[in-house]
Amino acid sequence: MKKILLIASVFVGFFTACPQPPTIMTETVEISEWSIGQKDGSLVVQWTDPSVDNLKSISVVTRLGEEVVDEGSVEPGTQTYTIPKDKVKVGESYLITIFGLDSENNKTAETAVPHTVSSANLLFESVNVYDRYAELKIASDASSQLTLEYGSQSIPINNGTTDIRIDDLKPGQTYIFTLRTENHSAATFTRKTMLFWDDFAYSTPEDLTASRWIWCKRENSTQENHWSFSMRGEGNAERVLFNKEEGVNFLRLEGYYKGAEKNPENMLGAGVRSQNCFYFTFGKVEIRFRFKDSLPGSFPALWMMPQNADPGCANNGSWPYGGEIDIMERVHSRPWLVYNTAHTENWSTAGNGYAGESSQYNVAGKQNGSGKAEDWNKWNIVGIEWSRGGLQWYVNGVRTKWIPAEDNLGNYPFTEKSSFYLIMNMSVARSGFVGMAEPGFYNYIDIDYVKVTPNADTIVQECPYYTSGGAQ
């Protein structure tokens, strides 16, 4: 993104020979998010499938002491298993084990959960855990007082169906929530909080920039071919809208060509960044978005830049030495595809228009696949997972691109000593790479949500979003 936009499409697909990451499941993979509740005398076990490509099944084994009283398997995506009421007894304590198998019968680590059966119906009907808060729906017909416990907190709960919001959680932490009757532990779930969440349920641009985001700056306004020449100045919220459609809140970033005169100063776009607000080291980013049209000169992008570059990077980690991760870019020349790209010292020549380490994918996640521009007018999800092992891109849940980590900052500066922030923008341009915007141009990108979740390697940063609620 920060390179000059004179890139030729000859570089598309440059990295096709890169080896793919291992897909065989190992015992380091585990099912870390699960819940156990009770309904009509049966036990209801729920979980989140582990992120592996070749998951074949999830098995649930229930033991009373050494005796196996029930076992069964379900296909990936089911994420629910019911232990029949004739297999369990009120007052007995069982050990419920959950694990996955891949297509070669490799086994994940076992998640073992103790559970004591109550006579009451007690169930977490829905669980939504975000970065600093959780929304729960609890169903119960217990005759005694209920208590919800998590961390060092304890909250009394009414019987019946209850909606609960918890606002004192910490990002990137694992919480075990237990719903207890006076005599027994009756329902439990565990979740790890997100690192970052925004669903853009705002009313004004001032709400948007209160804690999570700041505006992208307008730079190089006389250069038609520079990505940021069309960005707003600080505090100019003219091209940001908040909408709600079919129950979905979303942020709209607009780009347009003001007036009839062909002047770079009249090409205006919109962009926000989490720089100095939120940044992270290792984790998974997912963004749900859609486009209006594919027009010459449109240049929407979702990407990441270093808040803190690895201290070993050349030139104090300035671009491109500190790295750049483009989760998604789209240009008019091939509007049915989006770019997944990384830039580093050796994969970009600043000012010379080199395309970096780039490949293109359709909405099905197929490299250079066929499709229509209209495929991106509907809601789609792109993402990237950053770990100690490398960078993995995703399009609608399909892994598209993989760059393995290596001990060479010129090739790979995305280390544990670096941290990155998010950028979302709708630029307008006149160049051979993205097409030639003309007076009358109007386009936008809509963002439904931005989600950043931790993985096993995540280093939680003490960024201002966590410590003081906003930028410093």
Side-chain angles (χ1 to χ4, degrees), residues 196-198 202 208 210-214 273-274 277-278 465:
F196 181 88
W197 167 258
D198 200 346
Y202 304 124
L208 176 72
S211 64
R212 294 171 171 88
W213 308 95
I214 59 176
R273 53 199 165 107
S274 70
C277 302
F278 166 75
Y465 174 56

Side-chain angles (χ1 to χ4, degrees), residues 280-350:
F280 69 104
T281 302
F282 304 133
K284 185 174 184 178
V285 181
E286 295 174 89
I287 303 177
R288 189 171 187 252
F289 72 101
R290 67 182 179 186
F291 300 121
K292 178 181 182 292
D293 293 308
S294 172
L295 299 174
S298 292
F299 194 31
L302 310 171
W303 50 303
M304 297 162 54
M305 287 288 287
Q307 175 77 31
N308 298 292
D310 187 303
C313 291
N315 288 354
N316 296 317
S318 61
W319 192 87
Y321 304 94
E324 173 188 331
I325 301 170
D326 296 334
I327 304 171
M328 182 285 300
E329 296 173 300
R330 189 203 200 193
V331 298
H332 177 67
S333 58
R334 303 183 79 189
W336 63 95
L337 301 172
V338 295
Y339 284 78
N340 297 162
T341 308
H343 297 274
T344 70
E345 175 185 358
N346 295 337
W347 289 347
S348 298
T349 304

Side-chain angles (χ1 to χ4, degrees), residues 53 445 449 461:
D53 287 346
I445 180 174
Y449 63 75
Q461 301 289 339

Side-chain angles (χ1 to χ4, degrees), residues 4 24 67 91 124 134 244 287 314 352 437 469:
I4 302 299
I24 295 177
E67 179 188 1
F124 291 100
K244 189 170 185 178
I287 303 177
N352 291 339

Side-chain angles (χ1 to χ4, degrees), residues 14-119:
F14 176 77
F15 194 64
T16 55
C18 176
Q20 290 294 301
T23 57
I24 295 177
M25 191 161 11
T26 70
E27 292 188 359
T28 61
V29 178
E30 63 179 355
I31 298 170
S32 58
E33 296 188 340
W34 48 263
S35 68
I36 298 177
Q38 298 181 191
K39 185 175 183 180
D40 299 329
S42 300
L43 301 186
V44 180
V45 184
Q46 297 176 298
W47 61 87
T48 301
D49 287 347
S51 297
V52 291
D53 287 346
N54 54 350
L55 186 65
K56 180 180 70 173
S57 64
I58 298 291
S59 296
V60 179
V61 180
T62 305
R63 292 181 173 87
L64 179 61
E66 297 297 322
E67 179 188 1
V68 175
V69 298
D70 182 73
E71 58 183 326
S73 298
V74 296
E75 294 182 351
T78 307
Q79 302 190 136
T80 298
Y81 181 82
T82 300
I83 302 167
K85 62 182 180 181
D86 60 352
K87 299 293 184 69
V88 294
K89 295 180 180 180
V90 173
E92 295 282 10
S93 295
Y94 297 86
L95 186 67
I96 300 170
T97 303
I98 313 167
F99 59 90
L101 292 175
D102 69 7
S103 57
E104 298 182 12
N105 290 323
N106 296 298
K107 186 178 179 180
T108 67
E110 292 187 351
T111 298
V113 184
H115 183 83
T116 300
V117 180
S118 167
S119 59

